[in-house]
C-alpha cells in the first residue's frame, strides 16, 4: 500500500530550539497538507501546497512556523523557536489532483513535546 | 463555505450493539463527504466516502453511511459493535471539484464488554 511517511515519529525538544518535521507524500500526489492535532483544538489545518506552491498557510503562526516543499518528494514544517504551546501531534496528508473526490491519505504523525 | 458538526464528542455502546455516529454538514455547493477513523497513536484512515451516485455507501470493517441531502446529514452506522471499533471518528466535507476538506471535531467511540 502506498503511504505517507513522516519523520521523526517522536520529538522531544527544549523551548527555543528549532524543530524540523519531514513528510514524504505518496508518489504522484500533488497536494500536501499539514495539520496539527491537540486535545483542546482538535485537528487544525496549518498549510497546504499544490504542485509544491503554497496555496494557504493562514492557519500557521507566521512568526515561528514555516512550511516548504523543496521537491515533489519532500515537505517540511519548521518551528523556530519552539514553545511549550507547540506541543502537539503534527500530521502530513497528501492527495492527488481533485483531492476532495479521493480524500486524503494521512501519515502516522510526529508527536512533538516542547519542554 | 463548508462546515461539519459531529453530535456527541463521546459515544459509548455495548459490544454487539448498534453504532450510530452523527454528522451534519453545511455546504453551499454539492459536497463530497467522508468518514475517517483514528486509532490511538495512529494517523487518520479513510473509512468510507460519498461522492456521487448511491447515497448509501459501505466502507471497511462493516461500517456504512447514508447521505441525506434533505437533512444535510451523513451519519455513520454499524449493526454490531466490536471491541476493535473503539477509536475516534471524524466526519469531513469537501467541495466537488476542490481539494480542501473541512473536518469535524471528532467523536470518540467507546465499546463496553
Amino acid at each position: 500500500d502506498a503511504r505517507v511517511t513522516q519523520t521523526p515519529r517522536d520529538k522531544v525538544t527544549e523551548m527555543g530550539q528549532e524543530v524540523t518535521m519531514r513528510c514524504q507524500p505518496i508518489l504522484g500526489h500533488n497536494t500536501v497538507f499539514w495539520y496539527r492535532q491537540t486535545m483542546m483544538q482538535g485537528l487544525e489545518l496549518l498549510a497546504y501546497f499544490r504542485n509544491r506552491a503554497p496555496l494557504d498557510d493562514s492557519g500557521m503562526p507566521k512568526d515561528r512556523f514555516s512550511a516548504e516543499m523543496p521537491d515533489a518528494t519532500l515537505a517540511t514544517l519548521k518551528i523556530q523557536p519552539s514553545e511549550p504551546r507547540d506541543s502537539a501531534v503534527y500530521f502530513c496528508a497528501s492527495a492527488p489532483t481533485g483531492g476532495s473526490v479521493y480524500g486524503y491519505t494521512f501519515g502516522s504523525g510526529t508527536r512533538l513535546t516542547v519542554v | 463555505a463548508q462546515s461539519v458538526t459531529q453530535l456527541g464528542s463521546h459515544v459509548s455502546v455495548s459490544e454487539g450493539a448498534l453504532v450510530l455516529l452523527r454528522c451534519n454538514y453545511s455546504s453551499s455547493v454539492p459536497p463530497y463527504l467522508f468518514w475517517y477513523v483514528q486509532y490511538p497513536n495512529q494517523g487518520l484512515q479513510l473509512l468510507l466516502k460519498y461522492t456521487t451516485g448511491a447515497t448509501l455507501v459501505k466502507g471497511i470493517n462493516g461500517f456504512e453511511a447514508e447521505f441525506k441531502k434533505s437533512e444535510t446529514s451523513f451519519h455513520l452506522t454499524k449493526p454490531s459493535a466490536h471491541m476493535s471499533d473503539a477509536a475516534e471518528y471524524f466526519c469531513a466535507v469537501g467541495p466537488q471539484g476542490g481539494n480542501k476538506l473541512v473536518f469535524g471535531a471528532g467523536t470518540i467511540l467507546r465499546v463496553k464488554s
Side-chain angles (χ1 to χ4, degrees):
Chain A
D1 283 346
R3 59 180 62 189
V4 174
T5 303
Q6 289 187 248
T7 56
R9 190 77 171 89
D10 289 279
K11 175 73 175 178
V12 180
T13 191
E14 292 185 348
M15 183 173 62
Q17 296 297 305
E18 178 178 299
V19 175
T20 298
M21 291 169 269
R22 293 177 174 80
C23 167
Q24 181 177 2
I26 290 174
L27 190 64
H29 282 194
N30 70 338
T31 309
V32 175
F33 304 84
W34 282 105
Y35 282 88
R36 177 170 63 184
Q37 186 177 39
T38 61
M39 291 289 290
M40 293 299 295
Q41 300 296 329
L43 266 175
E44 301 174 274
L45 177 64
L46 297 176
Y48 80 100
F49 294 76
R50 184 182 303 158
N51 296 324
R52 298 174 55 199
L55 286 193
D56 184 354
D57 61 0
S58 59
M60 206 163 62
K62 301 290 192 304
D63 56 339
R64 299 182 300 108
F65 284 60
S66 62
E68 295 179 340
M69 279 201 74
D71 61 61
T73 64
L74 177 64
T76 62
L77 180 67
K78 290 186 181 180
I79 308 174
Q80 169 62 23
S82 57
E83 297 180 1
R85 59 180 167 151
D86 301 327
S87 297
V89 181
Y90 291 81
F91 288 104
C92 174
S94 72
T97 301
S100 68
V101 72
Y102 302 105
Y104 303 165
T105 301
F106 281 80
S108 298
T110 293
R111 182 177 299 276
L112 174 65
T113 304
V114 183
V115 297
Chain B
Q2 298 183 306
S3 65
V4 174
T5 301
Q6 291 185 237
L7 298 175
S9 58
H10 291 77
V11 170
S12 184
V13 300
S14 298
E15 193 173 19
L18 171 72
V19 175
L20 171 60
L21 304 183
R22 299 178 188 273
C23 172
N24 287 90
Y25 70 92
S26 172
S27 178
S28 57
V29 298
Y32 293 151
L33 294 157
F34 303 82
W35 276 99
Y36 283 82
V37 60
Q38 185 181 28
Y39 299 103
N41 299 314
Q42 296 186 25
L44 280 70
Q45 302 173 34
L46 183 63
L47 200 53
L48 51 78
K49 65 182 179 182
Y50 166 78
T51 54
T52 57
T55 56
L56 180 64
V57 293
K58 296 184 185 299
I60 60 174
N61 301 335
F63 284 92
E64 60 183 38
E66 186 170 11
F67 169 57
K68 292 187 176 181
K69 184 178 178 180
S70 61
E71 299 177 8
T72 61
S73 69
F74 191 57
H75 301 330
L76 181 70
T77 60
K78 181 174 180 177
S80 176
H82 191 273
M83 297 297 290
S84 61
D85 295 326
E88 188 164 14
Y89 292 80
F90 292 89
C91 183
V93 62
Q96 290 190 15
N99 266 293
K100 198 169 160 182
L101 300 187
V102 175
F103 285 84
T107 297
I108 294 173
L109 175 66
R110 178 186 169 214
V111 182
K112 299 175 291 186
S113 59

